[in-house]
């Protein structure tokens, strides 16, 4: 297998359970690293700076854009969200698969910049279940829930851009399914450039040897 890890984008409706799913994946397997995004949104109760997000203001966010410190960024519900570059590059080089838990505009930018990235879209089994999960969180106002549902309807139009749609019904099964997809994806030619190059060179040496 290639030494470098792969970039995995996990998107899905707000309330699809991406966060819990990603934590399950990190707990189960060693080869994943989670990128912590930078955002201008206010922390929710219990969120810690540097853990769920790096919380910052618009001026600092825009400075970071200007010095090319983000791999991608997007605006979502009036706030900026972006992926810091340094951590992603460091972890990929260390051979880990880096997970970006980002929304669709960012996902599309990542696919364009890194065609070998793997794009997964996580969804609950139904819209009713999504509504239930959003309410169950208990931290959002009616207005925010309505905006997130409207956004989900919009985002559902973009699902074709992803490599796989993963239904998050049972957490453990879903984490395993994602791991299996990642393992399969790592074997695709687009992610095995180094191996293909090496074996072609070896074969060419053999052919020359035989002919010489
Ligand atoms: P929330 O405010 O619920 O934590 O996140 C809102 C949306 O922003 C989610 O869909 C989340 O995946 C996305 N998001 C979080 N970090 C990033 C990021 O760095 N870049 C982009 N493009 N989206 C992000």
């Amino acid at each position: 297998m290639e030494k470098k890890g792969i970039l995995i984008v996990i998107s899905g409706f707000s309330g699809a359970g991406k966060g819990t799913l990603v934590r399950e994946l990190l707990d189960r397997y060693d080869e994943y690293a989670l990128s912590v995004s930078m955002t201008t949104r206010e922390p929710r109760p219990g969120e810690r700076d540097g853990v769920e997000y790096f919380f910052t203001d618009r001026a600092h966010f825009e400075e970071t854009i200007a010095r090319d410190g983000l791999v991608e960024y997007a605006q979502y519900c009036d706030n900026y969200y972006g992926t810091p570059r340094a951590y992603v590059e460091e972890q990929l080089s260390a051979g880990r698969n880096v997970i970006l838990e980002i929304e669709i505009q960012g996902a599309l930018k990542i696919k364009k910049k890194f065609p070998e990235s793997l794009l997964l879209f996580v969804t609950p089994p139904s819209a009713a279940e999504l509504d239930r999960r959003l309410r169950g969180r208990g931290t959002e106002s009616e207005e925010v829930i309505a905006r997130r549902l409207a956004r989900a309807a919009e985002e559902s139009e973009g699902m074709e851009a992803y490599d796989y749609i993963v239904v998050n019904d049972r957490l453990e099964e879903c984490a395993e399914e994602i791991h299996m997809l990642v393992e399969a994806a790592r074997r695709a030619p687009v992610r095995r450039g180094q191996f293909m190059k090496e074996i072609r060179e070896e074969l060419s040496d053999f052919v020359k040897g035989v002919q010489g």
Side-chain angles (χ1 to χ4, degrees):
M1 204 67 74
E2 314 275 333
K3 284 197 191 71
K4 232 179 147 207
I6 67 170
L7 256 187
I8 304 162
V9 170
I10 300 193
S11 301
F13 311 126
S14 173
K18 286 164 297 178
T20 327
L21 192 54
V22 168
R23 273 198 300 281
E24 180 74 17
L25 211 52
L26 295 173
D27 282 351
R28 274 176 183 243
Y29 308 100
D30 287 336
E31 64 263 46
Y32 294 93
L34 174 64
S35 158
V36 177
S37 296
M38 187 183 271
T39 184
T40 57
R41 99 152 148 68
E42 290 297 314
R44 295 194 186 109
E47 284 185 335
R48 293 143 299 170
D49 188 39
V51 180
E52 283 80 11
Y53 283 106
F54 294 106
F55 295 99
T56 190
D57 55 25
R58 291 185 83 83
H60 179 244
F61 198 102
E62 283 166 2
E63 267 167 39
T64 314
I65 298 173
R67 64 174 166 77
D68 204 22
L70 301 174
V71 183
E72 63 73 39
Y73 69 92
Q75 299 228 28
Y76 180 95
C77 296
D78 303 332
N79 284 301
Y80 274 132
Y81 293 82
T83 305
R85 180 181 300 284
Y87 181 82
V88 169
E89 290 180 349
E90 194 183 287
Q91 294 295 316
L92 286 177
S93 304
R96 294 206 185 81
N97 301 319
V98 179
I99 301 176
L100 311 183
E101 198 204 308
I102 64 179
E103 51 66 71
I104 189 164
Q105 305 165 61
L108 297 178
K109 286 183 203 159
I110 290 287
K111 192 68 183 182
K112 206 162 169 202
K113 267 199 201 168
F114 309 93
E116 71 287 2
S117 58
L118 179 69
L119 268 55
L120 306 178
F121 193 93
V122 178
T123 164
S126 66
E129 176 63 17
L130 180 64
D131 183 63
R132 200 185 64 76
R133 288 187 198 174
L134 279 174
R135 281 167 205 290
R137 210 184 242 174
T139 55
E140 318 281 26
S141 64
E142 273 305 311
E143 191 206 328
V144 170
I145 291 174
R147 263 164 59 196
R148 285 178 185 248
L149 284 172
R151 180 77 188 211
E154 268 171 47
E155 286 185 347
S156 71
E157 295 299 324
M159 291 191 287
E160 276 89 351
Y162 288 77
D163 295 306
Y164 296 102
I165 307 295
V166 182
V167 176
N168 183 14
D169 198 356
R170 278 207 266 237
L171 181 65
E172 289 85 6
E173 279 171 25
C174 192
E176 237 170 76
E177 188 178 323
I178 289 182
H179 183 61
M180 199 185 68
L181 291 172
V182 170
E183 285 295 298
R186 291 188 72 182
R187 288 159 175 79
V190 67
R191 300 178 192 90
R192 302 223 60 181
Q194 186 61 31
F195 177 81
M196 291 190 300
K197 181 170 172 280
E198 280 166 16
I199 201 157
R200 280 181 183 136
E201 281 167 8
E202 286 169 20
L203 283 167
S204 153
D205 288 347
F206 267 101
V207 171
K208 279 185 215 142
V210 169
Q211 286 171 345

